[in-house]
Amino acid sequence: MIAIAGGDVVVADRVVTGGTVIVDGEHIAVVERRISEGPAGATVLDARGCHVVPGFIDVHVHGSQGHDVLDDGAPVAT
């Protein structure tokens, strides 16, 4: 198992600040609303300061809904 911990996790209706994504094999097992090391023996990846986008296969996008990710500021967070 892998615990991707501490990042801002982008889910369908919000961004979970300081969340954890637990990956079991090829599947997302759970998205937690807190920083967690996951189950015993899990590999922990420090994602603090990063956006984690569980379930996205290809995040190569240039924008959405009037926002261009190449613009200055924080367009990805917006």
Side-chain angles (χ1 to χ4, degrees):
M1 286 201 171
I2 299 171
I4 306 169
D8 293 337
V9 183
V10 180
V11 293
D13 61 342
R14 67 192 177 285
V15 175
V16 177
T17 302
T20 300
V21 177
I22 307 293
V23 180
D24 184 6
E26 297 180 358
H27 301 279
I28 296 167
V30 66
V31 175
E32 297 182 342
R33 294 181 178 180
R34 61 185 178 87
I35 297 175
S36 167
E37 294 184 359
T43 299
V44 179
L45 301 177
D46 183 357
R48 289 176 291 183
C50 299
H51 285 87
V52 180
V53 221
F56 275 27
I57 303 303
D58 180 13
V59 294
H60 182 119
V61 295
H62 292 275
S64 173
Q65 301 176 0
H67 301 282
D68 186 332
V69 298
L70 301 175
D71 288 344
D72 290 335
V76 173
T78 301

